[in-house]
Amino acid sequence: MKVLKFGGTSVGSRENLTRVRDIVAAVGEPRPVVVVSAHSGVTDELLRQARSAVKGKWSVRKLRQRHRKLYEEIGVDPAVVDPLLEELRDLLRGLSLVGELTLRSLDLVASYGERMSVRGIAAWLESQGLPAVPIEAYDLGLRTDSRFTSATPDPKCFPSVRKALRSYKGKLPIVTGFIAKDKDGNVTTLGRSGSDFSATLLGAAIRAEEVQIWTDVDGVMTADPRMVPNPRSIPTLSIAEASELAYYGAKVIHPATMLPAVDNRIPVRVLNTGRPEHEGTTILAEVPAGKGTVKSIAYKRGVTLITVSSTRMLLQSGFMARLFEVFARYDMSVDLVATSEVTGSVTVDCDKQLDAVVKELSECSEVQVDRELAQVCVVGEGIRDRYGVAAEVFGALKKARLPVRMISHGGTKINISFLLEEPHVRKAVRTLHKVFFG
């Protein structure tokens, strides 16, 4: 059995829903488990109304219009979501009366997008001759902890989920992504890429043959299409490679969401709803040993470099420990690190607490802060062990007259990272893409 997940864009128009129907029908028997997101734009509007409700202003008009317009286009009675819209109206009214929005309430409001989506999509597929049935994931037994807005699933629920899905034999389950419940029955959400997470969790629960993540791109690319002309799709990635690319902003599912499938040796495929014939990208626990092939060039803007110098720390142990302790206390994650005897340089991509960190570090050190930098990352299994990759990278940058501020190589076998000024990032990515992909 396969699990197919369709994102908000894939279920956001008549044209795309027609493609969804054809993709699902082509799977045949056994019928897949289909996981869907809210229709595009709906979750944002729900969160907007939740925050507005505590100020005394709220409305479900835009949400009603969004669903009515789409469902009338596909021939589904818009009344299929009316009961949920009435529930939502009562919830928003309650928030406006108490004037307070808790994380638990925010999760409950956000859940209505997927709950409405499964009803409309199931009705559409039913009208197209597919025996679809809408299901809330928590009714299958999907359970999490109570960390609202970013809940952690409990794998102990998998046998219950598997048993519940077996009861729909012969039917096409259309299951809500993104949402679950805690042990007390409160609705929770799974955070970033939550619907992808739902798909891999269900895949792990039923020991699926494959999990397919259907999006609006041809899998994972060799570079950001906005940065280079004609990037290629990458046929196969290891989870380590995919994790690196996701961290650096590549359009790939978040690594945490892949773990349930990868841990159970279930392949995850990233496919394009608009081009279902394209092979996309398959993500595996590990890929066959190669020759250190570069897979992709990724980048991240908005990086800040903090350089801390202190002659008083000369030959003394504990310099870096003290430095990291300050960043940890202010809940700031450090990425690249470079050190010498009396100097430590680190990068961060969030400067929310930076002023406080700099003030504290300045009490015993000289601190220099450089903003508006970008980090470029060359990713591929085994490139650390491939002779000449670093020379190719920095030789190309030298030829393009691109000054590098900081280098990280050797901390992991799958990437070479470097820092440069933000205005140079496009030229750097294009230069390296040409070197490795022609």
Side-chain angles (χ1 to χ4, degrees):
M1 183 181 288
K2 297 179 180 180
V3 176
L4 280 59
K5 178 265 174 179
F6 295 94
T9 304
S10 296
V11 297
S13 68
R14 178 186 177 89
E15 181 182 13
N16 282 347
L17 279 169
T18 301
R19 293 192 181 108
V20 168
R21 176 201 64 195
D22 294 343
I23 290 166
V24 171
V27 174
E29 298 288 347
R31 298 190 187 277
V33 175
V34 178
V35 177
V36 298
S37 299
H39 300 299
S40 54
V42 169
T43 300
D44 287 343
E45 177 63 15
L46 284 164
L47 297 178
R48 195 159 36 242
Q49 291 303 325
R51 295 185 176 105
S52 184
V54 297
K55 300 175 183 177
K57 294 179 64 177
W58 55 271
S59 171
V60 299
R61 180 175 57 84
K62 286 185 179 180
L63 291 163
R64 189 182 299 277
Q65 289 175 345
R66 172 75 178 96
H67 289 84
R68 180 175 294 278
K69 179 182 178 183
L70 176 60
Y71 292 168
E72 286 178 348
E73 285 179 2
I74 61 177
V76 168
D77 185 355
V80 71
V81 297
D82 280 352
L84 288 176
L85 285 169
E86 291 306 310
E87 280 185 27
L88 176 62
R89 183 199 298 274
D90 291 341
L91 175 57
L92 293 173
R93 183 184 296 116
L95 293 176
S96 70
L97 290 173
V98 299
E100 181 182 9
L101 181 62
T102 64
L103 294 180
R104 183 175 68 171
S105 299
L106 194 64
D107 271 2
L108 182 55
V109 172
S111 73
Y112 281 88
E114 275 71 16
R115 292 161 67 190
M116 289 189 285
S117 178
V118 294
R119 284 160 174 76
I121 293 170
W124 151 249
L125 293 174
E126 186 80 29
S127 73
Q128 301 297 299
L130 293 170
V133 53
I135 307 170
E136 270 95 351
Y138 47 70
D139 286 339
L140 295 174
L142 188 60
R143 294 291 177 262
T144 68
D145 62 14
S146 300
R147 192 170 61 165
F148 299 104
T149 73
S150 188
T152 299
D154 181 0
K156 293 178 182 177
C157 72
F158 286 178
S160 298
V161 171
R162 184 163 56 249
K163 181 178 179 181
L165 279 169
R166 283 175 180 163
S167 69
Y168 290 97
K169 188 175 182 180
K171 294 286 187 179
L172 179 64
I174 311 298
V175 185
T176 53
F178 186 49
I179 65 174
K181 280 186 177 180
D182 67 10
K183 62 181 178 60
D184 297 319
N186 298 303
V187 172
T188 59
T189 63
L190 299 175
R192 178 181 174 181
S193 302
S195 292
D196 294 344
F197 206 176
S198 299
T200 57
L201 288 167
L202 294 178
I206 65 173
R207 304 186 182 100
E209 167 193 344
E210 180 178 85
V211 174
Q212 299 178 359
I213 306 295
W214 290 86
T215 67
D216 56 359
V217 293
D218 293 334
V220 185
M221 312 300 287
T222 52
D224 186 341
R226 297 168 298 183
M227 297 290 277
V228 303
N230 305 314
R232 305 174 192 173
S233 175
I234 306 168
T236 308
L237 282 174
S238 70
I239 187 171
E241 291 171 325
S243 298
E244 288 289 317
L245 292 174
Y247 179 78
Y248 290 104
K251 197 161 188 179
V252 58
I253 60 177
H254 192 271
T257 73
M258 290 182 273
L259 289 177
V262 172
D263 286 347
N264 288 274
R265 318 298 290 185
I266 300 169
V268 178
R269 295 181 66 201
V270 183
L271 298 157
N272 188 347
T273 309
R275 295 213 303 159
E277 71 281 1
H278 195 282
E279 66 176 353
T281 299
T282 302
I283 300 169
L284 304 168
E286 52 192 41
V287 294
K291 298 179 180 179
T293 305
V294 172
K295 296 286 186 71
S296 185
I297 315 297
Y299 69 94
K300 181 168 59 173
R301 298 182 188 270
V303 176
T304 299
L305 174 65
I306 302 106
T307 302
V308 182
S309 304
S310 177
T311 55
R312 284 177 288 173
M313 297 301 295
L314 183 64
L315 301 179
Q316 292 187 30
S317 62
F319 178 34
M320 295 306 296
R322 296 182 194 182
L323 178 64
F324 289 127
E325 189 274 330
V326 174
F327 282 100
R329 194 152 16 92
Y330 288 95
D331 196 27
M332 292 187 69
S333 296
V334 168
D335 188 6
L336 299 187
V337 179
T339 66
S340 69
E341 189 63 52
V342 295
T343 301
S345 296
V346 300
T347 65
V348 296
D349 56 10
C350 175
D351 58 6
K352 184 172 58 176
Q353 299 282 353
L354 187 56
D355 289 344
V357 169
V358 170
K359 181 179 179 181
E360 185 164 339
L361 291 174
S362 297
E363 294 175 1
C364 61
S365 310
E366 292 181 10
V367 182
Q368 178 180 332
V369 178
D370 294 299
R371 291 181 168 87
E372 297 182 2
L373 302 175
Q375 185 174 342
V376 178
C377 186
V378 179
V379 176
E381 284 278 2
I383 61 175
R384 182 183 64 185
D385 303 322
R386 174 182 158 187
Y387 179 77
V389 175
E392 289 181 90
V393 170
F394 296 110
L397 296 175
K398 177 184 176 181
K399 189 174 181 180
R401 301 179 67 83
L402 290 168
V404 174
R405 298 289 302 275
M406 185 174 175
I407 298 169
S408 174
H409 182 37
T412 169
K413 66 178 182 178
I414 65 171
N415 82 44
I416 299 173
S417 292
F418 60 89
L419 214 60
L420 75 175
E421 294 179 359
E422 223 173 61
H424 298 319
V425 67
R426 178 183 291 273
K427 186 176 180 181
V429 172
R430 286 190 170 197
T431 296
L432 294 175
H433 195 269
K434 187 175 182 180
V435 168
F436 291 107
F437 302 105

